Amino acid sequence: MTESTNPPSLFKEFVELCEKEGLLKRPAELTLEDTTDGINDETTLKRFFIGRNSDPHGALQQFKESLSARKQVQDITTYSTIDVNIYEQTRKIYPHWIGRRDTRGLPIYVYDVAALDPPTLAAYDQSGSLPQTNSATEPNQAQRAFVFYDTVVINAPFYFPKLWAIVKNFIDPRTTEKLVILSVSETLPRLQETIAIENIPVQFGGQFEYEPGGLPNLDEGLRKQLRWVGESRTKLPAGPLKWIVRDGQRTAVVTGSAGGEKVCVPFAVLEEGGEGVDTMK
């Protein structure tokens, strides 16, 4: 966030507005070891601020709506109790991080539409382990802090460009200008503009062995910032992950539940001075 595009004074005003509204208080659902990552920490506030084009009052309204909706669906409790297997089943039908970053250090997410087949959606719909939501409680696009830099559509059906030409008229121009539809021949050159070849999935002409829906396979830079607990690994473990602070150290744990029992299993500790490994928020 640069000073020219996001004046510090405006962000400070946004933070002060949140403080005045009582939105920066620590949620009661958190344990003593839990962090406020992804809830009301500075990084999360910046996402809302940037997403509302540096408008303090607009960001405040969106942030309030988001917190209200999340509270109604009990997302903190759900994340800490959801069955690990159901979580993994659910994760595959949403955009998910592949464990790699672009040349700017930004995480690379993949959304494989082919994974949204009838059996997968039916299994998700029948799981019954997530809170039931409706239009009044489920966070919508206006309540979420969607901040992304590029969206690349690959292998789209032939009619998609025409459909997009119509749909984009109803979407924020700042969002539409970030979406690019690529042909097969355009894909690799375009991706290489911001992604190293070793981090581009082989399906798109790169060298990264990526399995759709697979667990995040961390790049070497991220692996070096983590001290693994137990066996060293390259991929993150299955299940919902979060940071906690234990013995003064930021520790990554698997949370949720397995066999009806709550889980909190440490698997890595952030090395002193480590940064850029906050994608698990």
Side-chain angles (χ1 to χ4, degrees):
M1 189 169 74
T2 63
E3 184 174 347
S4 59
T5 57
N6 297 283
S9 59
L10 290 179
F11 180 67
K12 181 180 179 181
E13 179 183 350
F14 169 49
V15 174
E16 291 174 346
L17 288 171
C18 291
E19 181 73 43
K20 184 177 180 180
E21 294 274 352
L23 305 180
L24 303 186
K25 295 179 180 178
R26 183 179 177 84
E29 299 90 337
L30 296 179
T31 68
L32 293 177
E33 292 185 319
D34 283 334
T35 70
T36 58
D37 293 350
I39 301 173
N40 56 12
D41 63 314
E42 183 177 349
T43 299
T44 300
L45 294 180
K46 285 182 178 178
R47 288 173 180 160
F48 280 89
F49 182 66
I50 295 172
R52 297 302 297 178
N53 200 27
S54 305
D55 174 13
H57 291 277
L60 174 67
Q61 183 61 33
Q62 184 182 10
F63 187 51
K64 287 173 62 176
E65 292 175 355
S66 176
L67 290 181
S68 176
R70 294 178 64 169
K71 185 175 182 179
Q72 290 184 62
V73 298
Q74 302 177 357
D75 70 324
I76 295 177
T77 300
T78 298
Y79 194 77
S80 298
T81 57
I82 186 173
D83 181 85
V84 170
N85 293 326
I86 292 178
Y87 175 86
E88 282 302 313
Q89 184 182 65
T90 303
R91 183 181 62 82
K92 295 177 182 179
I93 68 173
Y94 285 94
H96 51 274
W97 183 45
I98 64 175
R100 301 302 168 106
R101 299 169 293 170
D102 67 10
T103 54
R104 297 163 293 186
L106 300 173
I108 301 171
Y109 280 73
V110 172
Y111 188 36
D112 187 5
V113 180
L116 304 180
D117 54 39
T120 300
L121 294 176
Y124 166 72
D125 193 46
Q126 296 172 8
S127 66
S129 293
L130 298 178
Q132 295 299 310
T133 61
N134 54 44
S135 59
T137 61
E138 186 173 8
N140 56 38
Q141 183 169 344
Q143 296 167 336
R144 297 178 185 270
F146 285 116
V147 178
F148 57 88
Y149 289 82
D150 300 292
T151 298
V152 180
V153 179
I154 302 171
N155 295 332
F158 71 92
Y159 56 80
F160 185 82
K162 292 184 178 180
L163 178 63
W164 174 244
I166 298 174
V167 173
K168 71 178 183 180
N169 294 315
F170 302 94
I171 301 176
D172 190 320
R174 291 174 298 158
T175 298
T176 60
E177 67 184 15
K178 297 177 182 179
L179 188 143
V180 179
I181 303 172
L182 301 178
S183 65
V184 174
S185 61
E186 296 171 324
T187 297
L188 184 58
R190 173 61 177 80
L191 294 179
Q192 284 187 288
E193 292 178 8
T194 55
I195 306 175
I197 189 70
E198 62 267 21
N199 293 326
I200 298 176
V202 293
Q203 294 92 323
F204 310 133
Q207 300 173 354
F208 176 47
E209 294 291 342
Y210 164 72
E211 177 186 353
L215 296 171
N217 188 337
L218 302 183
D219 62 53
E220 184 178 0
L222 291 177
R223 292 199 298 270
K224 287 182 177 179
Q225 295 185 51
L226 296 172
R227 173 163 49 84
W228 301 102
V229 176
E231 183 180 355
S232 179
R233 61 172 73 233
T234 58
K235 293 185 179 181
L236 295 178
L241 312 178
K242 67 178 181 180
W243 291 108
I244 64 173
V245 177
R246 178 172 293 177
D247 298 327
Q249 295 180 307
R250 181 169 275 252
T251 303
V253 301
V254 179
T255 186
S257 64
E261 299 292 331
K262 290 193 66 175
V263 172
C264 185
V265 181
F267 65 89
V269 174
L270 184 64
E271 293 284 13
E272 185 175 352
E275 57 182 15
V277 199
D278 62 351
T279 314
M280 290 186 293
K281 291 183 180 180

